[in-house]
Amino acid sequence: MFAAKRLGKELVKVKFHMLPNPTTPRHTCHNLLDKPRDVLPAQQKLPPGIELVKADDFREWLVDIQVLDANPLYMNQVFRLSFLFSDSYPIEAPEVVFIKVSPSATDPAKPQQQQSQSQSQSPTPFPGRPIPIHPHIYSNGIICLDLLGSVGWSPVQSVESVCMSLQSMLTGNTKNQRPPGDEQFCQSMGVRGPDGWSGYRGGGRGRGLRDVRFAYDDDSV
C-alpha cells in the first residue's frame, strides 16, 4: 500500500496534464493515485531524453532513456529500462535493469500505438531497444551501480532521479566494453523475463537479482 501511494504520486508528477481515457467509465477516473491506467497522458513532465513508456500498475514500469550529447557510443540510440517495485518501495530500492527489445512493426509496450499505426498507411517500424555497452552494464542488462543497491539507495530517490543518474553514467562513458567476467556472470544470472529470471540463452534458471552483491570500486566510468 505504501509503495502504491508513493508511485501514484510519482505518476501524477510525470503526467502533469492528464485526460480521461474514453474507454473507461467516468466514475473510475477520480482517483489518480489508485488507478494509473484510467488516464491517458497528454504530455509528460520529464527531463529531455527520458520517456515513461508504460505504467499500467505499481509492479513494473518501463522507461526509455537516450543520451543527448554527441557521445559516439550511443549516438541515435534509445535504451529501455524496467523498474520492478516491491511493496516496500521507496524504503527498498526497485529492481532496475536494461531490457532488450527486438525490432518489430510496432512497440510491444505500446498497444495504443499499435492500434493507431495499424490504421496508418505508412506505419513507422519500431527499431528495438539494445542493451547499452558500458563497463558497469552486463550483457543481460544488469547494472552495477551503488545507487541501486541497499547501501547506496535512499527513499528520496525516484524513478526520475534513477533515470537521470543512468543517463549521466552513459553520457560520461568513453569505454566500449562490458564488465570483466561478463559472460560468466550472465550464465549464472540469466535473463529477466515476464516470469522472473531465466537461464542465460534459454537454459536453466538464473539467480534473483537481489541475491547479487556488487563491489563498487570504480568511480571513473
Side-chain angles (χ1 to χ4, degrees):
M1 185 63 180
F2 186 63
K5 289 183 178 180
R6 168 60 183 269
L7 287 169
K9 291 179 180 179
E10 290 190 38
L11 190 65
V12 171
K13 179 182 177 182
V14 171
K15 299 180 177 182
F16 73 102
H17 182 193
M18 313 182 82
L19 297 175
N21 187 331
T23 64
T24 304
R26 286 182 178 272
H27 69 274
T28 63
C29 296
H30 68 284
N31 192 339
L32 302 184
L33 299 185
D34 293 336
K35 297 181 179 294
R37 70 177 65 196
D38 289 342
V39 289
L40 295 175
Q43 188 175 2
Q44 292 187 9
K45 187 179 181 181
L46 282 171
I50 301 175
E51 178 190 359
L52 180 63
V53 176
K54 187 176 182 181
D56 287 346
D57 52 41
F58 296 129
R59 180 182 179 274
E60 181 180 21
W61 287 10
L62 300 179
V63 183
D64 281 353
I65 67 171
Q66 184 176 12
V67 175
L68 299 180
D69 73 346
N71 189 327
L73 294 177
Y74 312 114
M75 189 75 70
N76 300 321
Q77 295 188 68
V78 181
F79 308 105
R80 181 155 295 174
L81 288 165
S82 168
F83 287 75
L84 280 184
F85 306 99
S86 72
D87 292 337
S88 299
Y89 177 82
I91 303 302
E92 184 178 72
E95 184 178 292
V96 185
V97 298
F98 285 99
I99 58 174
K100 182 178 180 179
V101 186
S102 300
S104 60
T106 56
D107 187 345
K110 296 181 178 180
Q112 294 175 351
Q113 182 189 64
Q114 293 179 20
Q115 294 176 5
S116 62
Q117 288 188 347
S118 64
Q119 300 173 357
S120 174
Q121 295 181 353
S122 302
T124 302
F126 175 65
R129 297 289 183 261
I131 304 294
I133 296 180
H134 188 282
H136 290 171
I137 301 174
Y138 291 88
S139 297
N140 57 2
I142 291 178
I143 307 160
C144 179
L145 180 65
D146 58 352
L147 172 66
L148 302 177
S150 58
V151 176
W153 176 258
S154 168
V156 301
Q157 300 291 345
S158 65
V159 172
E160 179 179 327
S161 66
V162 170
C163 289
M164 292 178 65
S165 295
L166 292 172
Q167 194 180 42
S168 176
M169 187 177 83
L170 294 177
T171 298
N173 180 43
T174 59
K175 299 179 181 179
N176 189 25
Q177 62 187 42
R178 294 289 184 193
D182 175 66
E183 179 73 16
Q184 295 85 346
F185 176 78
C186 290
Q187 287 178 349
S188 67
M189 187 63 211
V191 179
R192 196 173 77 190
D195 300 321
W197 290 92
S198 62
Y200 190 52
R201 294 177 179 170
R205 296 291 298 176
R207 295 181 292 165
L209 182 55
R210 299 191 187 282
D211 297 333
V212 179
R213 296 293 181 267
F214 291 111
Y216 307 107
D217 56 2
D218 183 5
D219 296 328
S220 62
V221 291

